[in-house]
Amino acid sequence: MDLQEYLRLMSSGTPIQGGGELHQFMRELNEQAMRLTCDLNSKYHTQAEIRDIFSQLIGKPVDKSFRLFPPFYTNCGKHITVGKRVFINTGCHFHDQGGIVLGDGTMVSSNVVLSTVNHDFDPEKRSTAYPSPIVLGKNVWIGASVTVVPGIHIGDGSIVGAGAVVTKDVPPNTIVAGVPARIIREIHPGDKPKLRRILTEGI
């Protein structure tokens, strides 16, 4: 098996059987990701150096507008895609076997968890995992300590409030918050003063 075949199977939602061929290949990617994230997180790097390490981690170049504040954690890396002007703050965990896409202009705050794999509910099959992608649209803002579960799409321009757990798709230009996250309101261009008040005074 090569990387492209692995990613194709992950994108299709193929179950990962514990101890099977997919699982063994996943473990190889785990080791590569640990090596690169240890380098990334262990000492100071310039943003140019961070972009270089992150490009190695995801297996493709990132735009010069990409910025990341370490530490950053992933147990795969090769199934992450980032657009232009993407910012990832410190302490984020991307479990990307199922695929993670960050659209242009997306901002991810500190300590965010994006997890793209679920395990089987049957205790006898618990080691079997099911990948499903997370897609964040353009100009999405994810607040601090948010968790997004597998298979979620967050629409362009939306905001996820700090501490939320996102278990359902989020429509474009919408604010969601809470556990589980629920829609608080829509975002309209003329609402900027009200929006600022919501974000600074709480929802």
Side-chain angles (χ1 to χ4, degrees):
M1 178 178 296
D2 62 15
L3 178 61
Q4 292 309 311
E5 176 68 4
Y6 174 82
L7 296 179
R8 185 189 68 78
L9 292 170
M10 293 299 95
S11 295
S12 70
T14 301
I16 307 167
Q17 304 287 346
E21 184 181 10
L22 277 176
H23 189 235
Q24 293 301 319
F25 195 86
M26 183 176 73
R27 287 189 167 182
E28 293 176 19
L29 295 179
N30 294 159
E31 295 297 322
Q32 296 175 28
M34 283 192 289
R35 176 176 57 81
L36 288 166
T37 53
C38 281
D39 182 15
L40 176 67
N41 298 332
S42 64
K43 60 184 179 181
Y44 170 77
H45 295 281
T46 66
Q47 282 297 317
E49 291 169 337
I50 288 171
R51 286 193 298 272
D52 179 64
I53 297 169
F54 195 84
S55 294
Q56 294 178 56
L57 184 61
I58 70 173
K60 45 191 172 287
V62 293
D63 190 77
K64 290 183 178 180
S65 60
F66 173 80
R67 289 180 64 81
L68 180 145
F69 289 170
F72 174 82
Y73 304 96
T74 178
N75 55 6
C76 178
K78 294 301 187 288
H79 216 173
I80 297 171
T81 301
V82 298
K84 297 179 180 180
R85 305 182 314 282
V86 167
F87 172 64
I88 301 173
N89 214 327
T90 185
C92 291
H93 295 247
F94 287 13
H95 305 160
D96 62 289
Q97 284 88 354
I100 291 174
V101 177
L102 307 185
D104 294 347
T106 289
M107 299 189 301
V108 181
S109 301
S110 302
N111 303 315
V112 167
V113 176
L114 305 181
S115 182
T116 64
V117 174
N118 273 322
H119 287 275
D120 201 296
F121 283 9
D122 184 342
E124 299 300 319
K125 302 177 181 177
R126 191 61 51 81
S127 63
T128 299
Y130 301 90
S132 188
I134 291 172
V135 178
L136 309 186
K138 296 180 180 179
N139 301 312
V140 169
W141 177 14
I142 306 295
S145 300
V146 165
T147 297
V148 182
V149 303
I152 296 298
H153 289 220
I154 298 179
D156 294 352
S158 289
I159 297 171
V160 180
V165 177
V166 185
T167 61
K168 295 180 179 179
D169 288 353
V170 177
N173 300 308
T174 302
I175 301 172
V176 299
V179 181
R182 60 184 179 85
I183 294 175
I184 302 300
R185 56 170 292 173
E186 295 180 354
I187 300 170
H188 302 286
D191 289 346
K192 289 180 181 178
K194 295 179 182 178
L195 177 58
R196 186 179 301 114
R197 200 158 51 244
I198 288 171
L199 295 176
T200 57
E201 296 175 7
I203 296 174

